[in-house]
């Protein structure tokens, strides 16, 4: 089936892309929206490849909707999800360098292309991309620590708190609840566990009164205790308060 023809949308005041841009480069979203009222979007189905490692970006794309991930596939069929992308996130770390990882859609996604031709604010957009890349590097370092030294419950706690804070920053979560379209298989690939271990860990966390996962909805019953277990510091309490 050929890809759907692109549609064009405005960057609304409450959508996650605008919220994300305003956090990493205040004033940028308003400036580019005034210059270029509508931006091209395209839809990609779940489990499809968005970009391949080593390819050059064709623009500055962000997730308008849906979840994606940087991922590494191994010849024997194993997969490691290296970093989860949520609505509002920019895909490329730098529009002038090849993708450092393959990007896959974890759910149906909608991409928006912010790189309008001859955009006068392209320097500001590049600065925003650099800040985005630095924050992504921090998340990747956190992922290394999770995989290398934390127990299964600690890994889960840290990941769920990180996702909560990143979604909260773009208006898609509350302090204790958010929607997460990740299957147990995806969680296993993210946390370096088997699907069976994921299931057992979630049951244990529910029995301990820490977390409830019902369908797509995650409820953090004891966010304070989860943070203590995972040695997690909320971005609001760290020096780079404009994060996540």
């Amino acid at each position: 089936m050929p890809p759907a023809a692109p549609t064009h949308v405005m960057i609304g005041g409450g959508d996650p892309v605008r919220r994300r841009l305003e956090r990493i480069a205040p004033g940028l979203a308003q400036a580019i929206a005034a210059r270029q009222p509508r931006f091209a979007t395209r839809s990609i189905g779940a489990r499809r490849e968005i970009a391949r490692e080593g390819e050059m970006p064709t623009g500055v794309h962000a997730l308008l909707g849906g979840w994606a991930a940087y991922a590494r596939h191994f010849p024997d069929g194993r997969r490691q999800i290296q970093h989860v992308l949520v609505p509002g996130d920019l895909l490329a770390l730098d529009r002038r360098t090849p993708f450092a990882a393959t990007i896959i859609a974890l759910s149906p996604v909608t991409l928006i292309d912010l790189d309008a031709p001859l955009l006068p604010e392209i320097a500001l957009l590049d600065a925003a991309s650099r800040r985005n890349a630095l924050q992504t590097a921090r998340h990747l370092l956190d992922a290394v620590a999770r995989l290398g030294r934390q127990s299964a419950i600690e890994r889960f706690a840290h990941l769920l708190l990180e996702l909560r804070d990143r979604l909260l920053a773009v208006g898609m979560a509350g302090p204790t609840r958010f929607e997460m379209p990740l299957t147990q298989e995806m969680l296993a690939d993210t946390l370096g566990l088997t699907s069976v271990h994921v299931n057992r860990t979630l049951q244990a966390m529910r029995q301990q009164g820490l977390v409830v996962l019902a369908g797509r909805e995650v409820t953090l019953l004891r966010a304070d205790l989860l943070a203590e277990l995972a040695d997690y510091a909320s971005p609001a309490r760290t020096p780079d308060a404009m994060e996540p």
Side-chain angles (χ1 to χ4, degrees):
M1 178 182 293
T7 58
H8 290 75
V9 300
M10 299 180 68
I11 301 179
D15 76 52
V17 172
R18 181 155 188 155
R19 287 175 181 263
R20 175 66 174 153
L21 290 178
E22 287 297 337
R23 290 186 70 85
I24 58 178
L28 174 60
Q30 183 176 355
I32 65 175
R35 180 77 62 177
Q36 181 78 15
R38 292 183 177 273
F39 295 84
T41 68
R42 61 188 175 100
S43 299
I44 298 175
R47 300 180 182 272
R48 300 292 298 274
E49 193 174 90
I50 298 173
R52 186 168 297 176
E53 181 180 356
E55 290 180 345
M56 286 296 297
T58 57
V60 179
H61 292 90
L63 276 179
L64 185 62
W67 290 38
Y70 299 155
R72 174 69 58 84
H73 293 84
F74 295 89
D76 62 2
R78 291 176 298 164
R79 178 181 69 176
Q80 178 67 48
I81 291 178
Q82 299 159 309
H83 178 59
V84 175
L85 298 166
V86 301
D89 282 345
L90 304 180
L91 297 191
L93 299 180
D94 187 329
R95 66 184 175 87
R96 295 158 297 192
T97 60
F99 284 104
T102 294
I103 302 177
I104 58 172
L106 299 177
S107 69
V109 303
T110 301
L111 304 181
I112 183 169
D113 186 1
L114 301 173
D115 191 14
L118 304 179
L119 186 67
E121 290 79 15
I122 195 65
L124 291 176
L125 196 54
D126 284 343
S129 293
R130 286 192 295 273
R131 183 171 178 83
N132 176 74
L134 289 172
Q135 294 174 357
T136 300
R138 197 184 89 176
H139 293 314
L140 290 170
L141 290 173
D142 282 343
V144 170
R146 280 198 299 263
L147 294 174
R149 289 298 181 187
Q150 290 191 316
S151 68
I153 286 181
E154 290 167 346
R155 294 181 199 185
F156 254 108
H158 197 285
L159 177 66
L160 293 177
L161 289 169
E162 177 193 300
L163 293 174
R164 186 275 312 267
D165 282 344
R166 291 169 61 198
L167 291 168
L168 190 62
V170 294
M172 298 190 69
T176 60
R177 284 187 175 85
F178 60 92
E179 288 195 1
M180 179 181 71
L182 303 183
T183 65
Q184 290 194 6
E185 175 190 5
M186 293 171 184
L187 288 168
D189 290 344
T190 303
L191 295 171
L193 305 170
T194 66
S195 294
V196 172
H197 201 171
V198 164
N199 185 268
R200 290 174 179 169
T201 303
L202 285 172
Q203 289 183 29
M205 294 177 78
R206 183 173 62 250
Q207 291 168 1
Q208 294 174 33
L210 296 172
V211 170
V212 172
L213 179 58
R216 289 187 165 203
E217 185 172 89
V218 177
T219 302
L220 307 178
L221 301 175
R222 290 292 308 278
D224 55 342
L225 183 53
L226 288 170
E228 183 179 343
L229 285 171
D231 190 29
Y232 180 85
S234 172
R237 298 195 299 272
T238 59
D240 58 333
M242 290 178 63
E243 167 71 5

